[in-house]
Amino acid sequence: MKKFLGAALLLLTSNALAGEAIIPFWQANAHASYTLSISNVSATDAEVEVELRNKDGSLFNGSYSTDNGGAINTPFVIPANQTVWIWVQGSGTTVASTLRGYGVIKSTEAKDANGKSFIVAYGKYDRNTSNSTTGAWMAVPINNGMPF
């Protein structure tokens, strides 16, 4: 009986558990940008919060751009089966003035949602050279590409 109650309790509470993943690296300056792609790969709307931290551990409060919604350091909803993009572009030209740090993505089902939501995320660091159209980019894996 105890095993049955424990399993039933686990099933009942599993929908209320939030997913969380670490953004291990982000960086932006006058020559590089950081793009974060977050997809809701479920049939349930998801509430998401992207928290970016600066190199000194403080919350990032600089400018950024989005596509199809999204925000930094404030919760937002990603509708079922949709993707949002967040771009961070810096203006500094020295190592000391470069924006960089880490982040956390937290997700849970949106209020009144039916079912479990699953998020996948991918980061990309783009470096542009100032003298030509050539550049370089680096993938920033988040949760090894697995849903959370």
Side-chain angles (χ1 to χ4, degrees):
M1 184 67 168
K2 285 183 182 179
K3 288 181 183 179
F4 174 77
L5 289 175
L9 182 60
L10 181 62
L11 287 173
L12 289 173
T13 59
S14 66
N15 282 347
L17 296 176
E20 189 170 298
I22 302 297
I23 300 169
F25 166 82
W26 72 272
Q27 179 174 323
N29 59 36
H31 305 291
S33 63
Y34 181 77
T35 304
L36 179 62
S37 174
I38 308 169
S39 298
N40 179 355
V41 295
S42 60
T44 299
D45 293 352
E47 184 172 306
V48 176
E49 184 170 3
V50 177
E51 182 180 277
L52 289 185
R53 296 275 174 177
N54 293 309
K55 59 189 171 190
D56 64 1
S58 63
L59 277 175
F60 171 76
N61 62 2
S63 62
Y64 60 92
S65 301
T66 64
D67 180 43
N68 201 31
I72 294 178
N73 302 327
T74 188
F76 60 94
V77 173
I78 302 177
N81 302 307
Q82 292 195 28
T83 299
V84 301
W85 285 6
I86 300 172
W87 291 277
V88 178
Q89 177 71 50
S91 60
T93 57
T94 66
V95 172
S97 64
T98 295
L99 303 171
R100 63 184 180 275
Y102 71 96
V104 178
I105 303 171
K106 300 174 188 176
S107 71
T108 190
E109 292 76 34
K111 186 178 179 181
D112 299 326
N114 294 318
K116 176 83 176 113
S117 65
F118 293 98
I119 300 297
V120 293
Y122 177 84
K124 188 172 99 173
Y125 168 72
D126 285 303
R127 182 181 57 82
N128 302 316
T129 58
S130 58
N131 59 356
S132 71
T133 59
T134 62
W137 65 274
M138 176 180 79
V140 181
I142 298 171
N143 201 39
N144 289 323
M146 301 299 296
F148 56 95

